[in-house]
Amino acid sequence: MGEFRFRLPSNWEPTNSQAKSIHVIGLDGVPSPCRVSSDEGILTIARNRDESGKVFLAFPFEDFGEFTIGTGTLPESQTPYQLLIELARGTLNRLRNQISIWQEGGLEIAEEVHDQVGQATRLLSQAIMQTDPAASDQGSRDALHIAMSANLKVSEQFGAEVSKYRTSQPDMPRFWFANAVGADEVKPEHCEAEPFQLVQAAPELADAAAEAGNKRTIVGPFLDASPGGMQEEIVALDDFFARRDYILNRCRKTIRQLNPSSSLLHVVSGLNGMGHRHLSYPQQTQITSDMLNLIDESQIDVPMMVSFDYPWAERLATAVGGAHPLQIADSLLRQGVPINFIGLDVNLDYWPCGSVVRDPLQWIDMIDIWSQLGLPLIFCFRMPTMAKPAIPRSGQLINEVRSELTDEQRLSILETLLPMMIARPGVHGFIWRQWKDSDDERFPGGGLVTETGDEKPVLELLRNVSERIYGSK
């Protein structure tokens, strides 16, 4: 059994929430289940594997809020590493590598960023040579904060400049925004909101969405395979074969009555390689293949999307068994099923059914990895947009908001991420998956509007980002 041991700084120890975020990514890029313990200032992370890896954990930055960051690749060792030194080394190394790549591509990095990288490098070098643990920790912490500041600045510069270039090129696909309609009904405001060029509606609401506005529609998902995502009438059926028949019959009926305004079919969402008690992982992939082939045989000329939960696969760090979502997508494509778009389900800052908050450069890495499949990517996104979301009406809190980020900090992160998504030509669109806070009780506070229909600041942020990139309407 392999172990990583770290000396914790005297003035910081991970909270319970931060400890739950700890995971190790091996040489294969797959997170491993870990057992985490702390005793007398030593953090021990144990796995059932004996190999090197990168350790990731949530770290609080005074000026920016909490980000999950990682070390460089470390060999297992019984001699404790110094946690802050390794986090600073890993963060600075990724930053320097990404700057080098972007410079080779022609991006002129701001002088302020170069200055910060140099300053962080000097501070880290001094911290490594320090014999006083307190002084070493302080130097490492300072280097880490400066490196994160440079990370955010260069990410903002990349997003602003390269997204403008993409949108100025007529031969590049246009990036679009979409919003979901209400969970139970369609109102004009769902289909008229800006800056959204498309609306997404469940199959039973797709016609109403098409009639309520003049926008193209995304129909689906036909099946939400994530925990708690299946409709009650499907869950109530006795066995897998009854559930499969019900899902396929509903899919068949929807296809026969498909509205001409349909622009994209979101066939399945929430695939994550884990399965649950209502549909195992093999059953999920079987139904996915069956639906895709059924739609393909109907010969309708509408592209199809399958979306995958936990695109960083961090769920594998808290489970035994399972497959990386990327491996699921690759397996489906190798079977020859007709997938036209890959969706990435990001339920940001929810736990346990969500993704941890990561620095912008980790998003670039993730996009590049998924782009290797050779299909356009669409982000299917939501995050809590109020600091303390209300308890759902059912009284059952399925997911918690994981971090202690403020509303302003979450919005600032999204404002940095969106232009970076637009800058990547492999990313074609962005869907906000929840209109009202109460539309999906699994994700409290994840709507664009409140329970009473009042707009939230995130809606204005999306408008502002779209206007900066594309100009006023």
Side-chain angles (χ1 to χ4, degrees):
M1 180 179 71
E3 288 187 347
F4 296 92
R5 293 164 60 82
F6 295 92
R7 182 185 65 77
L8 292 167
S10 59
N11 59 350
W12 179 71
E13 184 169 344
T15 64
N16 184 52
S17 173
Q18 291 162 348
K20 289 179 180 178
S21 73
I22 295 175
H23 56 283
V24 180
I25 297 181
L27 300 177
D28 56 2
V30 178
S32 302
C34 301
R35 294 174 297 281
V36 179
S37 61
S38 176
D39 183 42
E40 296 184 354
I42 300 298
L43 179 70
T44 301
I45 303 169
R47 301 180 297 165
N48 291 327
R49 304 175 68 175
D50 294 310
E51 66 173 19
S52 301
K54 299 176 182 178
V55 177
F56 287 80
L57 61 81
F59 184 81
F61 291 87
E62 184 177 347
D63 295 332
F64 317 117
E66 187 177 282
F67 286 105
T68 293
I69 56 175
T71 68
T73 301
L74 300 174
E76 295 169 335
S77 175
Q78 288 298 308
T79 302
Y81 294 101
Q82 296 187 60
L83 179 63
L84 292 187
I85 281 181
E86 298 308 330
L87 290 175
R89 197 197 309 265
T91 301
L92 189 56
N93 182 58
R94 281 189 293 276
L95 172 64
R96 291 165 64 109
N97 287 342
Q98 190 61 65
I99 286 175
S100 176
I101 292 170
W102 282 341
Q103 281 183 310
E104 289 179 5
L107 185 68
E108 294 187 9
I109 306 298
E111 194 62 35
E112 181 183 8
V113 172
H114 286 302
D115 291 343
Q116 287 185 313
V117 170
Q119 185 180 2
T121 302
R122 289 189 296 273
L123 285 170
L124 178 58
S125 300
Q126 294 166 6
I128 292 171
M129 300 303 295
Q130 272 284 354
T131 56
D132 176 27
S136 176
D137 288 340
Q138 186 58 54
S140 302
R141 186 186 295 270
D142 291 344
L144 192 52
H145 277 74
I146 293 170
M148 183 55 65
S149 176
N151 181 322
L152 294 170
K153 283 186 173 66
V154 76
S155 297
E156 290 169 1
Q157 182 188 355
F158 170 81
E161 295 186 18
V162 183
S163 62
K164 281 286 189 182
Y165 173 79
R166 172 184 175 177
T167 56
S168 69
Q169 301 301 305
D171 57 331
M172 286 190 177
R174 182 178 174 87
F175 185 96
W176 48 261
F177 291 90
N179 66 287
V181 302
D184 303 315
E185 60 180 341
V186 178
K187 295 182 177 180
E189 55 263 33
H190 299 157
C191 303
E192 296 171 358
E194 296 296 338
F196 307 108
Q197 294 88 27
L198 296 91
V199 293
Q200 180 170 22
E204 58 271 18
L205 297 175
D207 285 344
E211 294 170 3
N214 58 359
K215 295 180 180 178
R216 305 288 291 176
T217 55
I218 301 170
V219 182
F222 292 73
L223 171 66
D224 183 348
S226 63
M230 290 173 55
Q231 294 175 313
E232 292 182 6
E233 56 264 34
I234 301 176
V235 173
L237 296 172
D238 292 335
D239 56 29
F240 164 67
F241 298 102
R243 290 169 183 159
R244 182 185 64 179
D245 290 345
Y246 180 94
I247 293 167
L248 291 177
N249 286 334
R250 190 178 64 165
C251 177
R252 191 176 291 110
K253 178 181 178 181
T254 301
I255 295 306
R256 284 200 300 262
Q257 303 172 352
L258 197 64
N259 194 287
S261 70
S262 302
S263 182
L264 177 67
L265 300 181
H266 191 173
V267 181
V268 179
S269 70
L271 288 180
N272 60 35
M274 302 299 297
H276 48 76
R277 64 190 180 93
H278 300 302
L279 275 183
S280 68
Y281 162 49
Q283 291 171 347
Q284 291 176 12
T285 54
Q286 179 63 57
I287 290 180
T288 300
S289 296
D290 290 345
M291 280 200 290
L292 289 166
N293 288 322
L294 185 156
I295 296 170
D296 187 49
E297 290 167 2
S298 69
Q299 297 184 335
I300 61 168
D301 189 23
V302 182
M304 293 179 280
M305 174 174 75
V306 175
S307 62
F308 299 85
D309 209 355
Y310 306 105
W312 285 277
E314 58 260 69
R315 183 66 167 168
L316 294 178
T318 58
V320 177
H324 195 299
L326 186 71
Q327 295 171 332
I328 309 170
D330 182 65
S331 176
L332 287 170
L333 292 173
R334 288 176 186 272
Q335 295 174 34
V337 293
I339 301 175
N340 306 106
F341 289 86
I342 295 290
L344 302 177
D345 295 330
V346 179
N347 301 306
L348 191 65
D349 208 18
Y350 288 105
W351 194 259
C353 298
S355 296
V356 296
V357 179
R358 299 174 184 267
D359 68 78
L361 297 187
Q362 293 186 62
W363 287 72
I364 289 293
D365 291 340
M366 184 262 284
I367 290 171
D368 289 345
I369 289 172
W370 279 88
S371 294
Q372 294 174 13
L373 293 174
L375 291 179
L377 305 177
I378 295 173
F379 277 94
C380 307
F381 186 93
R382 80 186 110 209
M383 70 177 185
T385 50
M386 55 175 59
K388 295 182 178 180
I391 299 295
R393 284 174 292 181
S394 65
Q396 182 179 6
L397 190 63
I398 298 174
N399 284 308
E400 296 181 352
V401 177
R402 202 201 60 79
S403 77
E404 296 183 0
L405 290 170
T406 65
D407 289 347
E408 291 75 15
Q409 287 170 335
R410 286 196 191 91
L411 292 176
S412 177
I413 292 168
L414 182 60
E415 191 171 18
T416 299
L417 292 176
L418 279 171
M420 296 179 72
M421 294 178 189
I422 298 171
R424 306 303 277 185
V427 182
H428 283 211
F430 177 92
I431 305 171
W432 193 281
R433 290 287 304 279
Q434 192 166 327
W435 176 257
K436 187 186 293 185
D437 283 342
S438 59
D439 280 346
D440 192 333
E441 292 194 344
R442 296 176 299 165
F443 302 101
L448 294 170
V449 302
T450 65
E451 173 69 21
T452 57
D454 297 325
E455 289 190 6
K456 296 163 73 173
V458 65
L459 193 50
E460 184 62 25
L461 183 147
L462 293 172
R463 292 192 189 105
N464 291 340
V465 170
S466 178
E467 185 171 330
R468 285 204 304 270
I469 301 300
Y470 293 109
S472 58
K473 183 176 177 181

